């Protein structure tokens, strides 16, 4: 066997595994990028619905203010909770999956749910508002939006689960750490009553 042939064989034995490992690493990196982009894209569906929800609240308040003039504390608490939730939404939109941003968003939305519930109790106790066509339409829009938030949250959490599972698997975890792909945070609510869209029916 000639010297040249020996060199070619040695190079092939050394280089082929290196190339194969490199190709595998590239494929795992690309998979991680796709999963990262997917859950962030899914978050945009949540963001759209949360913004819609937050935009409905001033309309609800405006419709109810005439009939509930003595309930200024409820209006203020609802406005404050809405403003906090809107700030948390913007922070989470800037960095979907960031643990602190997602935890703040979940807490803010939970507080907003609580204030909406208190507001709706007052509305349901008011015959004028129960018969108000505009309030009924807004209530229906809010319920529809709540349902869409719930579906979007489930899709986002599924995307985060797929991403986290991939980034924690060996050897992808090495690539994730090399390129600073951290663990993504789920968008979860803590209490059973918040897991369901608030019931605001006037029936």
């Amino acid at each position: 066997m000639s010297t040249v042939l020996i060199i070619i064989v040695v190079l092939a034995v050394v280089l082929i595994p290196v190339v194969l490992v490199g190709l595998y690493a590239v494929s795992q990196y690309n998979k991680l990028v796709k999963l990262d982009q997917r859950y962030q894209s899914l978050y945009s569906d949540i963001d759209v619905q949360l913004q819609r929800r937050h935009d409905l609240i001033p309309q609800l308040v405006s419709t109810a203010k005439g009939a509930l003039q003595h309930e200024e504390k409820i209006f203020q608490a609802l406005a404050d909770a809405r403003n906090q939730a809107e700030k948390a939404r913007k922070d989470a939109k800037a960095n979907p999956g960031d643990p602190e941003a997602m935890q703040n968003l979940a807490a803010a939305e939970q507080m907003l749910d609580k204030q909406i519930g208190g507001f709706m109790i007052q509305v349901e106790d008011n015959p004028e508002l129960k018969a108000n066509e505009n309030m009924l339409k807004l209530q229906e829009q809010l319920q529809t939006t709540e349902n869409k938030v719930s579906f979007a949250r489930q899709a986002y959490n599924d995307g985060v689960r797929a991403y986290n599972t991939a980034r924690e698997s060996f050897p992808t975890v090495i690539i994730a750490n090399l390129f600073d792909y951290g663990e993504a945070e789920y968008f979860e609510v803590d209490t059973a009553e918040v897991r369901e869209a608030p019931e605001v029916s006037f029936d």
Side-chain angles (χ1 to χ4, degrees):
M1 186 179 288
S2 70
T3 305
V4 173
L5 188 56
I6 292 173
I7 292 172
I8 291 173
V9 170
V10 170
L11 286 174
V13 169
V14 172
L15 291 178
I16 287 175
V18 171
V19 169
L20 290 176
V21 168
L23 290 173
Y24 179 75
V26 168
S27 73
Q28 292 305 298
Y29 174 80
N30 288 339
K31 177 182 177 182
L32 203 57
V33 170
K34 286 178 184 175
L35 290 171
D36 179 60
Q37 291 177 346
R38 181 173 180 268
Y39 85 75
Q40 292 200 41
S41 175
L42 288 168
Y43 178 78
S44 67
D45 293 336
I46 294 176
D47 184 69
V48 167
Q49 298 308 325
L50 289 180
Q51 183 169 14
R52 173 66 179 147
R53 179 187 196 216
H54 299 167
D55 289 346
L56 282 170
I57 291 170
Q59 297 177 54
L60 286 164
V61 169
S62 176
T63 302
K65 263 197 168 175
L68 299 176
Q69 292 177 358
H70 58 291
E71 299 293 349
E72 190 58 41
K73 285 184 180 179
I74 289 176
F75 294 138
Q76 189 59 53
L78 183 56
D80 290 345
R82 185 253 183 206
N83 291 339
Q84 284 294 108
E86 184 63 7
K87 180 184 181 304
R89 181 192 68 79
K90 289 177 181 176
D91 290 344
K93 181 181 181 180
N95 196 4
D98 174 70
E100 184 178 356
M102 298 308 295
Q103 289 166 12
N104 289 343
L105 178 63
E109 287 298 321
Q110 183 174 336
M111 180 55 69
L112 182 57
D113 281 336
K114 180 180 177 183
Q115 297 304 328
I116 289 174
F119 172 76
M120 286 302 171
I121 288 172
Q122 297 299 317
V123 169
E124 289 177 6
D125 286 343
N126 187 290
E128 179 184 342
L129 289 175
K130 286 179 73 171
N132 184 303
E133 186 176 342
N134 190 38
M135 181 60 80
L136 291 172
K137 287 179 181 176
L138 288 169
Q139 176 268 328
E140 184 179 349
Q141 291 174 33
L142 180 64
Q143 189 66 53
T144 299
T145 302
E146 294 288 352
N147 291 336
K148 288 180 179 178
V149 168
S150 180
F151 290 131
R153 183 174 61 233
Q154 182 61 52
Y156 165 80
N157 285 341
D158 288 345
V160 167
R161 184 176 298 108
Y163 166 80
N164 283 342
T165 300
R167 76 164 297 281
E168 291 166 8
S169 302
F170 184 82
T172 310
V173 66
I174 297 170
I175 296 167
N177 290 334
L178 279 173
F179 292 95
D180 201 26
Y181 277 88
E183 185 173 0
E185 183 77 14
Y186 294 98
F187 179 27
E188 296 180 321
V189 288
D190 294 330
T191 59
E193 60 267 23
V194 179
R195 289 185 191 282
E196 310 241 340
E199 289 295 331
V200 292
S201 174
F202 296 146
D203 296 336

